[in-house]
């Protein structure tokens, strides 16, 4: 898995989790603001496509999110400000790298497809920096990307509390900023 794909999937996971968690507290037509905290650890084998490179991947994410109805149909639009710190540690030697990602996600367009689904165009903009063990930056990825996802609205397009993620539809606009290869920078430090 390359670093760019990993980052995108991580962002989508955070946004999807925040949307489901926060939607349960919202009622139709109501603006809400919430904060959230998530953390997890997992073991990944063959990290960055390197056979035998087994790492522990740990992250902590803190942020705030909100939803507001837009347009004549009152479809909910989500927005989130998130800071995520990831630590990747080689389990064989203890070497590690740290990534700090600060970003904003927001729905640019929500389309009711008329078949029980919504298509969301999401803008993610921010900065990601990968640090070596000495604390110096070894890779950067600032800029923005736009993606589309498909959501099942559960028969209630204006009530996000029963929404379910169905599919990642793809990248609509590639990253606009510098896009260092985080795997290329991380593997020499980890090994």
């Amino acid at each position: 898995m390359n670093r760019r794909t990993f980052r995108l999937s991580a962002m989508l996971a955070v946004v999807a989790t925040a949307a489901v968690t926060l939607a349960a507290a919202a009622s139709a037509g109501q603006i809400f603001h919430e904060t959230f905290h998530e953390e997890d650890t997992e073991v990944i084998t063959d990290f960055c496509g390197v056979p035998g490179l087994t790492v522990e991947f740990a992250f902590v994410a803190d942020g705030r999110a909100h939803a507001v109805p837009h347009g004549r149909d009152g479809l909910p639009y989500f927005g989130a400000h998130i800071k995520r710190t990831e630590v990747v540690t080689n389990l064989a030697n203890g070497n590690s790298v740290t990534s700090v990602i600060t970003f904003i996600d927001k729905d640019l367009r929500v389309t009711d497809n008329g078949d029980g689904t919504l298509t969301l165009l999401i803008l993610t903009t921010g900065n990601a920096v990968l640090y070596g063990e000495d604390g110096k930056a070894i890779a950067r990825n600032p800029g923005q990307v736009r993606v589309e996802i498909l959501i099942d609205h559960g028969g209630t397009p204006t009530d996000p509390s029963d929404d379910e993620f169905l599919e990642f539809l793809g990248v609509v606009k590639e990253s606009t900023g510098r896009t260092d290869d985080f795997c290329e920078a991380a593997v020499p430090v980890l090994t």
Side-chain angles (χ1 to χ4, degrees):
M1 173 185 305
N2 71 38
R3 179 66 184 105
R4 181 183 227 176
T5 302
F6 197 75
R7 177 180 175 217
L8 181 57
S9 66
M11 287 186 292
L12 289 174
V14 169
V15 171
T17 302
V20 170
T21 302
L22 299 173
S27 62
Q30 202 173 37
I31 297 173
F32 71 93
H33 295 273
E34 298 287 336
T35 60
F36 60 90
H37 173 84
E38 293 182 7
E39 52 187 273
D40 199 6
T41 302
E42 67 177 299
V43 173
I44 300 172
T45 56
D46 299 334
F47 184 71
C48 286
V50 177
L53 179 54
T54 301
V55 301
E56 177 185 82
F57 175 83
F59 80 87
V60 174
D62 289 293
R64 63 186 190 279
H66 66 277
V68 295
H70 276 274
R72 69 182 193 309
D73 295 330
L75 298 175
Y77 279 60
F78 284 85
H81 295 254
I82 302 164
K83 181 174 183 182
R84 181 178 170 101
T85 301
E86 304 169 344
V87 178
V88 179
T89 305
N90 182 338
L91 294 176
N93 62 18
N95 292 352
S96 65
V97 293
T98 301
S99 175
V100 178
I101 306 164
T102 305
F103 61 97
I104 296 170
D105 276 343
K106 69 179 188 174
D107 295 343
L108 294 179
R109 184 179 61 236
V110 178
T111 304
D112 187 340
N113 300 319
D115 62 358
T117 65
L118 302 171
T119 300
L120 281 61
L121 174 63
I122 302 168
L123 166 70
T124 299
T125 183
N127 187 38
V129 181
L130 182 67
Y131 298 94
E133 290 193 311
D134 61 2
K136 292 185 181 176
I138 59 174
R140 297 180 185 277
N141 191 346
Q144 63 176 257
V145 64
R146 294 180 189 183
V147 300
E148 281 188 324
I149 63 172
L150 187 65
I151 301 291
D152 178 337
H153 63 57
T156 58
T158 60
D159 177 8
S161 67
D162 57 356
D163 290 1
E164 289 188 34
F165 173 82
L166 292 176
E167 183 180 356
F168 175 70
L169 299 175
V171 175
V172 174
K173 183 175 185 179
E174 292 285 339
S175 179
T176 60
R178 175 178 165 178
T179 53
D180 293 345
D181 185 327
F182 277 29
C183 281
E184 187 177 292
V187 169
V189 175
L190 293 170
T191 56

